[in-house]
Structures are given as structure tokens and as C-alpha cells.
Amino acid sequence: MHRQLATLLDFGPYYGKNLDALWDRLTTDVPRPVHLVWTAAAASRAAMGAFAFDRVDRVLRRVADRDADREPAKRFTYELG
């Protein structure tokens, strides 16, 4: 999951591959707008386990909630697919 996001959102070579680093990158370094759709979320949940999946999902939702009041061109949005 970290590898996929780092590649898709160009986190660079120094990404820490943990949830704190994910929060930091998504809230400070990723240019907006971003609309992230986690396709095959059920398969990811099964592969990662519910605990790990829920923790990542929570970070992504918090980032989206943080941007909710911004104009559309400056938002991170997220949905499960």
C-alpha cells in the first residue's frame, strides 16, 4: 500500500512508509486537487487484515476531512471502490 501511494503521488525517495509519514506527505507535500479511489478495497482489506486496513483508511479519511472546507481545486478527496 505504501509503495503504491508513494509511486502514484510521487512521495520521493525519502518517504518513511508508515502512517505518520503518510499523514505528513498527504497534508503538506501532495499538490491538490487529488481524488483517491481505493479500488478493490474489500480485497485489500482481506490481504492486509482489518486492523491495518482500518488504520490506513482512517488516515486517508482524516486528510479528506481536513480538506473538506477548502475550494475544490485545493482538496484531497477519498473514497472506497
Side-chain angles (χ1 to χ4, degrees):
M1 182 278 316
H2 286 286
R3 190 176 320 120
Q4 288 292 327
L5 287 175
T7 299
L8 291 170
L9 298 173
D10 192 23
F11 286 171
Y14 302 108
Y15 174 57
K17 297 179 184 131
N18 61 64
L19 296 178
D20 289 332
L22 178 61
W23 170 263
D24 291 344
R25 290 291 182 162
L26 292 176
T27 58
T28 61
D29 298 332
V30 174
R32 306 297 197 252
V34 171
H35 180 68
L36 178 67
V37 179
W38 192 334
T39 57
S44 294
R45 181 184 198 85
M48 296 170 68
F51 180 75
F53 179 90
D54 290 346
R55 290 181 67 204
V56 174
D57 178 61
R58 190 170 27 252
V59 169
L60 297 173
R61 289 186 188 283
R62 283 181 48 220
V63 174
D65 288 348
R66 180 179 176 271
D67 283 6
D69 292 333
R70 296 182 179 183
E71 62 184 85
K74 296 183 179 181
R75 285 186 197 155
F76 173 92
T77 55
Y78 163 68
E79 66 180 283
L80 296 174

